[in-house]
Amino acid sequence: MVIAAGGLLAACQTIVPKGPVSSSQQRPTTRPAADRPIGVEAGIPRDAERNRVALLVPLSGGNAGVGTSIANATMLALMDTQNQRVRITNYDTATGAAAAAQRAIADGAQLILGPLLADDVRAVAPIAQAAKVPVISFSNDTGVAGNGTFLMGYAPTQSISRVVDFAKSRGVTNFAGLVPNGLYGERASTAFLRAVEGAGGQVVSLQTYARTAGGVTGAATRLAAKAPYDAVLIADSGATAAQAAGLVKRGAGASTRVLGTELWNSESGLAGKPSLAGAWYAAVSDTLYRQYAAKYRARFGAGPYRLSSIGYDSVLLTVRIARDWRPGTAFPVGRLRDGDGFSGIDGAFRFGRDSIAERALEVKEIRGGTTTVVSPAPSGFGG
């Protein structure tokens, strides 16, 4: 691993998850001014001693809660690493992502962290590419990656492949699926069919539904008519899966295993839903996240959004590369493709040729009102 989360221990479309905090509970932390600004000029003082990094997230509007949580996480990461070589400035994408990117580049940013939403990434990417400034986005829409834009969001294709492989190793042969209409569902469907084929299983039935009242329950009823099958993937939120799981088990048998995606990891109270007892889903590890969340709560007086760990890890990545990144020079983008990968709150990850973060995922089972790890995440990438 190139990065260890030692600082913490020592001291498709983007789906924004609900979290324990709201924008009214948290406000973005103001970055400290440069220690020795050069001259007096409009805008942000120039800083010849630190690398300039821009954080583009929503700090107002409907997604301000998660954006602020990410902003606070980046500050916490700088504090934990005691870094003096990186200066991060926040820019609000809610008032216009393209304008935020233009301001950041005009202020001298050599690296952009964010944005969060896929549409915002599409607006920012050509501006950053023209300025030769790389983007490390927090979106989970794999369609925005490439041409200088890297994706750190949790890609559904990876969690689906991981849980399908695990299910096959536990004797599951016949699979079925429930997927929503839309871009996320289309990509989930493709990933599911490929994963099952690669594992040597077969898909008995795949039903789609609209995200409207009664949509998933109607699809679950149609799916029940195609029984028997050993497991069914419900590629949606845990709350939606809980609605359908009871119908699925009544139609196909109580022993039918329910499979979920990475979306489940962002939901609190999921383990308390009786219909999901015995369900499996793959996601990043929560081992270090629990320590991070306690530290965040002590610092900011409220719990973080689960997604904020991506912001923390993006700073760990930046700080590691900044050791050999001379202030005022272009960000060494080639370092992002280190084959051994990196490590952070969410475990090991590395960027492939497609500029998408490949993650080491664990498989969890909902059991007895809690979640239990039944297949740990690998600590790194062999070979």
Side-chain angles (χ1 to χ4, degrees):
M1 290 298 90
V2 180
I3 299 178
L8 175 70
L9 297 175
C12 56
Q13 63 195 47
T14 302
I15 297 180
V16 179
K18 295 180 179 179
V21 293
S22 66
S23 58
S24 62
Q25 291 173 303
Q26 292 189 331
R27 291 182 173 84
T29 303
T30 303
R31 304 288 178 188
D35 293 334
R36 284 179 283 179
I38 301 174
V40 177
E41 56 187 83
I44 295 177
R46 298 193 181 278
D47 190 341
E49 298 180 357
R50 287 181 285 185
N51 299 107
R52 298 297 296 271
V53 177
L55 175 68
L56 272 61
V57 288
L59 298 173
S60 60
N63 292 317
V66 65
T68 298
S69 193
I70 292 173
N72 288 340
T74 62
M75 189 189 86
L76 190 59
L78 286 178
M79 293 171 59
D80 286 345
T81 57
Q82 299 181 350
N83 181 264
Q84 300 298 321
R85 295 181 63 87
V86 174
R87 174 177 177 167
I88 300 179
T89 304
N90 299 341
Y91 298 85
D92 186 6
T93 56
T95 56
Q102 290 168 342
R103 289 195 302 271
I105 291 170
D107 287 341
Q110 298 112 347
L111 173 67
I112 291 175
L113 304 180
L116 173 63
L117 303 177
D119 286 344
D120 287 348
V121 179
R122 293 187 182 95
V124 166
I127 297 170
Q129 185 180 8
K132 298 182 179 179
V133 173
V135 174
I136 301 179
S137 164
F138 306 141
S139 170
N140 67 353
D141 185 345
T142 56
V144 303
N147 297 319
T149 297
F150 294 78
L151 194 81
M152 277 197 73
Y154 313 129
T157 55
Q158 295 177 29
S159 67
I160 291 172
S161 178
R162 176 76 164 97
V163 77
V164 165
D165 285 345
F166 175 76
K168 185 63 168 57
S169 74
R170 291 295 185 92
V172 174
T173 301
N174 297 317
F175 294 80
L178 291 171
V179 295
N181 295 330
L183 184 58
Y184 183 91
E186 291 173 6
R187 289 178 174 164
S189 297
T190 300
F192 180 53
L193 293 170
R194 288 176 177 173
V196 172
E197 181 182 8
Q202 63 175 342
V203 176
V204 175
S205 179
L206 185 64
Q207 299 291 328
T208 61
Y209 59 90
R211 279 179 166 145
T212 56
V216 71
T217 55
T221 301
R222 295 193 301 273
L223 190 68
K226 305 294 183 178
Y229 36 79
D230 306 317
V232 55
L233 173 76
I234 305 179
D236 211 324
S237 68
T240 298
Q243 295 177 31
L247 289 173
V248 166
K249 291 182 178 180
R250 281 197 293 273
S255 62
T256 302
R257 190 73 65 167
V258 174
L259 310 178
T261 74
E262 84 296 340
L263 294 179
W264 291 18
N265 210 41
S266 299
E267 298 182 49
S268 60
L270 189 69
K273 298 183 182 297
S275 62
L276 294 181
W280 292 329
Y281 66 100
V284 295
S285 173
D286 281 334
T287 302
L288 291 178
Y289 177 80
R290 296 186 187 98
Q291 300 176 46
Y292 154 76
K295 199 169 193 178
Y296 183 106
R297 189 175 292 105
R299 175 75 185 180
F300 300 107
Y305 278 73
R306 182 61 182 86
L307 195 62
S308 68
S309 58
I310 296 181
Y312 190 103
D313 286 354
S314 71
V315 174
L316 290 186
L317 171 66
T318 303
V319 166
R320 172 62 184 90
I321 293 177
R323 297 176 188 174
D324 306 311
W325 176 22
R326 184 165 56 84
T329 65
F331 180 80
V333 67
R335 296 285 304 280
L336 291 175
R337 300 191 186 278
D338 191 309
D340 291 333
F342 307 94
S343 185
I345 298 296
D346 289 334
F349 67 96
R350 64 179 176 183
F351 293 104
R353 293 182 179 179
D354 57 5
S355 300
I356 298 170
E358 175 190 356
R359 294 185 174 277
L361 304 178
E362 65 185 17
V363 178
K364 307 175 186 182
E365 179 178 323
I366 297 175
R367 181 195 305 167
T370 188
T371 57
T372 302
V373 176
V374 291
S375 179
S379 58
F381 303 95

